[in-house]
Amino acid sequence: MIKGVNKKVIEINDMQNIYFEKAVLYVRPEMQDTPYRHLLKEAAFYLDDSELSPGSKHLSKLSRIFVVTALLTAILGTVIIVCSLF
């Protein structure tokens, strides 16, 4: 049995990626009246989203650890300098 399907599709051909040739995104039925430019902007945003890249959560966790460590080091350094003045 063949069903008639009327879907709006956004196809991104220039992925600039060595692994993937193109991306095909199917627009939700309730969003099919959205202007084409806005759909392209959202598609680009989605494809560039760091959550799509594997290991991004790990990188984000490492970044947080680095920031906390840097802050603690700065605070400890400040305390040592202030204590040495007295």
Side-chain angles (χ1 to χ4, degrees), residues 28-83:
R28 294 181 187 269
E30 62 271 13
M31 298 303 215
Q32 289 190 3
D33 292 334
T34 305
Y36 185 70
R37 281 184 161 198
H38 185 70
L39 290 175
L40 283 179
K41 180 180 165 189
E42 288 297 316
F45 176 77
Y46 180 75
L47 292 174
D48 289 338
D49 193 355
S50 63
E51 289 182 16
L52 291 177
S53 59
S56 64
K57 289 183 182 177
H58 179 68
L59 180 62
S60 142
K61 186 176 180 181
L62 282 177
S63 297
R64 280 185 261 146
I65 290 171
F66 176 76
V67 168
V68 169
T69 304
L71 285 173
L72 290 176
T73 303
I75 291 170
L76 182 62
T78 304
V79 168
I80 290 172
I81 291 172
V82 169
C83 288

Side-chain angles (χ1 to χ4, degrees), residues 1-5:
M1 180 171 135
I2 297 176
K3 255 184 158 176
V5 178

